[in-house]
């Protein structure tokens, strides 16, 4: 990891928590090649869902673009993907941040390790997040620190892969779903089979059923089916992608000539993870 890395915290909000609510930080892991409006919208949907239907209040949101070593087709260099995510957040959001830690790491990082990084930075290094506390007797407010819950934010296609063999290490699933949890935004072409979560199903011993209470399903009340794959295809064909992603990102893509040819996405050398079965190659094979 490079020396100039600084964990971004400048957009963490300081909410006045209602009684019984706990602070929550959402971590969106993905390729973001390129980032679309739907990726940003996922954070808004999850924040509403948390406020209305859970004991959590979102205090921060992070995009964590995957490392180049993930080698997913269509992945342009992490330098570009991080830049596009930063442009999107700067121009479109006042609370979503980009953490380049995973993208800049020497090797691919399984999602469990990425969430550990957020837990470490927010709850160990910072000692938690700031929240506003109201003294009911005096009516005065003060700011105090509380540990934040860290959760993964993903689309329903990702949670489906959690029951596919070879994509996730079992110990990672127990770690991600048991220790952290996730907000899952439904995706048009990835209907969730509820049997995945039922104790009586054949999946009852798997992590999805075991930690069902830590998995929050977020309905898309206004369906948006945009995907990075479609955006890349449109650009390659010379078609318009306006209103599918921020103009700042469209300008960046044009200036850097991204996605217009089948050029290899990155020339950076990638080393392999050795700690679990979740190697980039095994993940991509399992998902083909
Ligand atoms: N239209 C969508 N609805 C719900 N979730 C989505 C949608 N598009 C992306 N996501 C989710 O956003 C996260 C990050 O997306 P990522 O860039 O990895 O995938 P993607 O947009 O499907 O890209 P690609 O098309 O390159 O596979 C993933 O968890 C994915 O499930
Ligand atoms: N074993 C793992 O940790 C594992 C498996 C599959 C996807 N992921 C993550 O999910 C995110 C999205 O991946 P896809 O773009 O392949 O859906 C990426 O950040 C990737 O690292 C992690």
């Amino acid at each position: 990891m490079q020396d100039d890395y600084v964990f971004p915290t400048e957009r963490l909000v300081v909410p006045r928590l209602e009684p019984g609510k706990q602070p929550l930080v959402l971590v969106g892991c993905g390729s973001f090649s390129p980032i679309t409006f739907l990726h940003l919208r996922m954070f808004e949907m999850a924040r509403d869902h948390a406020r209305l239907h859970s004991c959590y209040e979102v205090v921060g949101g992070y995009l964590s673009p995957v490392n180049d070593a993930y080698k997913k087709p269509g992945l342009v260099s992490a330098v570009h993907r991080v830049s596009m995510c930063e442009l999107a957040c700067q121009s479109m959001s006042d609370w979503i941040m980009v953490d380049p830690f995973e993208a800049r790491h020497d090797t691919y990082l399984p999602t469990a390790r990425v969430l550990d990084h957020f837990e470490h930075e927010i709850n160990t290094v910072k000692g938690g997040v700031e929240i506003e506390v109201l003294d009911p007797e005096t009516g005065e407010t003060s700011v105090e620190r509380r540990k934040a819950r860290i959760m993964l934010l993903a689309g329903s296609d990702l949670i489906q892969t959690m029951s596919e063999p070879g994509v996730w290490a079992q110990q990672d699933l127990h770690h991600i779903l048991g220790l952290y949890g996730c907000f899952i935004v439904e995706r048009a072409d990835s209907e969730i089979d509820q049997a995945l979560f039922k104790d009586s199903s054949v999946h009852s011993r798997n992590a999805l059923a075991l930690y069902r209470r830590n998995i929050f399903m977020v309905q898309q009340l206004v369906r948006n089916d945009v995907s990075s794959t479609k955006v890349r295809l449109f650009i390659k064909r010379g078609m318009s992608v306006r209103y599918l992603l921020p103009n700042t990102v469209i300008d960046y893509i044009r200036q850097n000539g991204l996605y217009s040819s089948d050029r290899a996405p990155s020339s950076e050398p990638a080393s392999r993870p050795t700690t679990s079965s979740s190697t980039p190659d095994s993940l991509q094979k399992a998902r083909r």
Side-chain angles (χ1 to χ4, degrees):
M1 174 57 68
Q2 51 305 105
D3 297 336
D4 62 345
Y5 171 75
V6 180
F7 180 71
T9 55
E10 66 283 356
R11 286 181 162 195
L12 286 172
V13 293
V14 184
R16 183 180 295 178
L17 286 189
E18 288 182 17
K21 288 272 188 181
Q22 293 173 47
L24 171 67
V25 170
L26 293 168
V27 180
C29 290
S31 304
F32 309 116
S33 184
I35 185 164
T36 70
F37 278 131
L38 193 279
H39 292 132
L40 298 172
R41 176 92 193 120
M42 286 172 71
F43 283 87
E44 300 289 333
M45 288 187 270
R47 184 166 69 164
D48 283 348
H49 187 92
R51 194 177 58 243
L52 297 171
H53 305 294
S54 83
C55 63
Y56 297 103
E57 183 76 41
V58 173
V59 297
Y62 289 92
L63 289 160
S64 182
V66 76
N67 192 276
D68 283 341
Y70 193 51
K71 292 186 192 162
K72 188 175 169 175
L75 209 63
V76 295
S77 152
V79 173
H80 292 312
R81 290 180 291 112
V82 168
S83 298
M84 289 188 281
C85 286
E86 280 170 349
L87 286 170
C89 290
Q90 279 158 19
S91 56
M92 291 290 142
S93 174
D94 59 1
W95 66 281
I96 308 171
M97 293 166 270
V98 186
D99 181 17
F101 177 83
E102 178 185 357
R104 290 197 199 170
H105 201 262
D106 298 337
T107 55
Y108 171 75
L109 280 176
T111 300
R113 302 288 82 75
V114 175
L115 296 177
D116 286 345
H117 156 73
F118 281 92
E119 172 71 26
H120 173 76
E121 290 290 348
I122 290 173
N123 287 327
T124 307
V125 177
K126 271 181 66 67
V129 291
E130 289 181 341
I131 55 147
E132 209 178 272
V133 184
L134 176 72
D135 184 330
E137 283 176 16
T138 63
E140 285 181 8
T141 57
S142 57
V143 172
E144 68 178 46
R145 270 192 191 280
R146 276 232 196 121
K147 298 270 183 207
R149 182 80 183 240
I150 311 294
M151 287 206 203
L152 177 66
L153 173 63
S156 52
D157 55 315
L158 197 73
I159 200 159
Q160 278 187 333
T161 68
M162 290 181 175
S163 61
E164 288 169 14
V167 183
W168 300 80
Q170 278 307 306
Q171 70 209 43
D172 282 7
L173 286 183
H174 287 274
H175 194 73
I176 293 168
L177 301 175
L179 194 62
Y180 300 112
C182 58
F183 274 69
I184 298 294
V185 177
E186 66 171 7
R187 197 167 183 173
D189 52 0
S190 301
E191 293 286 316
I192 291 292
D193 178 359
Q194 289 300 320
L196 284 179
F197 301 122
K198 290 207 178 105
D199 282 348
S200 56
S201 80
V202 288
H203 305 289
S204 61
R205 312 198 76 172
N206 77 18
L208 287 172
L210 202 57
Y211 305 114
R212 179 67 186 91
R213 69 183 185 288
N214 292 338
I215 302 170
F216 295 85
M217 300 301 302
V218 183
Q219 257 189 301
Q220 277 205 54
L221 297 176
V222 178
R223 289 262 178 158
N224 183 341
D225 194 19
V226 65
S227 75
S228 301
T229 303
K230 288 178 191 167
V231 168
R232 292 195 300 272
L233 197 69
F234 282 19
I235 294 172
K236 203 168 161 202
R237 290 183 180 164
M239 294 161 67
S240 166
V241 290
R242 197 164 290 277
Y243 314 124
L244 297 178
L245 55 164
N247 284 345
T248 49
V249 177
I250 296 177
D251 291 345
Y252 184 94
I253 291 172
R254 197 176 299 131
Q255 281 155 15
N256 290 278
L258 305 180
Y259 307 118
S260 45
S261 73
D262 285 328
R263 226 168 18 152
S266 169
S267 55
E268 285 174 26
S271 36
R272 313 268 171 125
T274 51
T275 47
S276 75
S277 66
S278 306
T279 64
D281 287 344
S282 71
L283 296 184
Q284 293 314 326
K285 265 188 215 132
R287 301 203 64 183
R288 252 170 226 146

